[in-house]
Amino acid sequence: MKKFLKITGVVVLICVVIMAGRWWYFVNEYRQHLPARDLAVAGVERQSHIYVPETPGNKPAEVLVLLQGGSAGSWRIAQQFRWEELADERGMILAVPIGMTFFDNEGAWQLNTDAGTMQDIQYVTAMLDDVAATHDVDASRVYAVGYSLGSMFSYELACQMSDRFAAISSFAGTMPVEPKSCNPGRNVPIMHIHGVDDPIIAYNNTWDWKAWDSVGSMRDIPGLVQYWAEKYNCQETKETESDTAAHVVHSMCEQDARVEHYRLAAGGHEWPENINGVSTHQVMWSFMSDYTVP
């Protein structure tokens, strides 16, 4: 019996060491390396991470907001090093907000916002104001990229902050079937990318949160894209297809907006490294960079 217990103890110790090693690897591999800034927003202490190129450009800087999914904690977003390389090339500032759970949220970002659920909208507003107060920025060239829950929140920005964002692009999210408040003063150009085999955010089905009734049912992806195309009164639709992705473009929209969608034939919920041979971050940036806030 003593020998058995001794062997069992050794096995348990080895397992603990292995798990600790894996956790240490995960933390070092994915934790956010950018410096954090403190913000006080309507009596709530918040933080965000900021990336500023060592060599500033010779003109006011563009600003790109990167919205993480899940808990939106201090973790690197997908392709962040490539976003940083792009920022270095362009003298662009990256802002990475940190999420916080409020009220009955199931995740980090408040969705289906109205007058009573504006903490995150106020937070993003304060973050952009803070960046503008400390750096020379081009207020007409502010953009947002979202992943998963961050993708869902990017549509709140299009609804509530259309005067601040020139364009948004996102992957693997959606929005409520019945938005409580979405009357933007400006049509924010939108690109949405989604895999048809996504097991978390279904492509072809509406769905309900487990315990977040205040948000309501969430749209299927064709319905999401159609919502914005109809809202912007887009008059022309063109679809091209490759072996890996279909590209749908809704154009001739009011206010020169555009709604684009990539339907990934074999895509799941994991961020794709490339689309039709082009890095996903570059596909997004090529779309967004066409636009400015008037």
Side-chain angles (χ1 to χ4, degrees):
M1 177 60 75
K2 289 183 178 180
K3 184 176 182 181
F4 172 77
L5 292 175
K6 185 176 181 180
I7 293 173
T8 302
V10 170
V11 171
V12 170
L13 179 60
I14 291 172
C15 290
V16 169
V17 170
I18 291 172
M19 293 302 295
R22 288 178 177 176
W23 172 248
W24 181 251
Y25 169 81
F26 178 85
V27 168
N28 282 277
E29 184 71 12
Y30 297 106
R31 68 181 175 185
Q32 187 57 259
H33 58 280
L34 300 180
R37 288 185 63 84
D38 295 323
L39 290 170
V41 182
V44 179
E45 294 299 319
R46 304 291 298 264
Q47 281 191 322
S48 63
H49 295 284
I50 304 295
Y51 180 82
V52 181
E54 290 185 7
T55 304
N58 54 9
K59 59 182 180 180
E62 300 154 330
V63 179
L64 177 61
V65 177
L66 299 175
L67 297 164
Q68 183 62 282
S71 65
S74 292
W75 306 103
R76 287 198 294 269
I77 195 168
Q79 291 193 318
Q80 185 168 318
F81 291 128
R82 294 190 182 184
W83 290 117
E84 291 176 13
E85 289 173 1
L86 179 66
D88 289 337
E89 293 171 10
R90 301 186 61 86
M92 179 166 59
I93 295 171
L94 306 179
V96 187
I98 300 174
M100 183 177 288
T101 301
F102 290 97
F103 310 114
D104 58 348
N105 286 33
E106 283 189 27
W109 303 117
Q110 291 176 307
L111 303 181
N112 214 349
T113 51
D114 58 15
T117 54
M118 295 290 284
Q119 166 64 210
D120 282 334
I121 295 297
Q122 293 170 334
Y123 163 52
V124 172
T125 300
M127 180 185 69
L128 292 178
D129 290 345
D130 180 61
V131 171
T134 51
H135 301 87
D136 183 18
V137 304
D138 184 347
S140 72
R141 297 184 66 83
V142 178
Y143 308 92
V145 166
Y147 177 25
S148 190
L149 188 63
S151 167
M152 299 182 207
F153 185 60
S154 72
Y155 294 113
E156 301 298 326
L157 302 183
C159 290
Q160 308 296 342
M161 297 183 66
S162 63
D163 60 328
R164 300 294 294 266
F165 286 91
I168 66 172
S169 185
S170 72
F171 171 71
T174 184
M175 67 178 290
V177 171
E178 298 182 4
K180 296 175 183 176
S181 173
C182 189
N183 299 294
R186 172 179 164 270
N187 294 342
V188 180
I190 288 169
M191 171 180 280
H192 186 87
I193 304 169
H194 213 106
V196 296
D197 295 329
D198 191 327
I200 298 176
I201 310 298
Y203 187 88
N204 285 308
N205 301 314
T206 59
W207 53 278
D208 296 319
W209 294 91
K210 294 189 294 291
W212 201 359
D213 295 338
S214 63
V215 173
S217 297
M218 304 298 284
R219 290 180 181 271
D220 61 279
I221 305 311
L224 165 75
V225 176
Q226 192 62 31
Y227 171 83
W228 290 105
E230 291 178 359
K231 196 173 191 67
Y232 293 174
N233 195 25
C234 300
Q235 299 298 305
E236 187 173 292
T237 302
K238 180 180 180 180
E239 181 171 342
T240 56
E241 196 159 353
S242 70
D243 292 339
T244 58
H247 184 203
V248 182
V249 179
H250 295 278
S251 58
M252 295 184 63
C253 312
E254 291 180 356
Q255 302 178 20
D256 294 323
R258 197 162 81 241
V259 179
E260 293 197 18
H261 171 49
Y262 279 97
R263 183 176 67 246
L264 307 185
H269 197 69
E270 185 175 348
W271 181 281
E273 283 298 309
N274 62 77
I275 298 172
N276 292 334
V278 180
S279 177
T280 300
H281 87 292
Q282 192 60 60
V283 171
M284 290 178 160
W285 177 247
S286 294
F287 168 78
M288 293 187 296
S289 62
D290 281 346
Y291 297 98
T292 59
V293 176

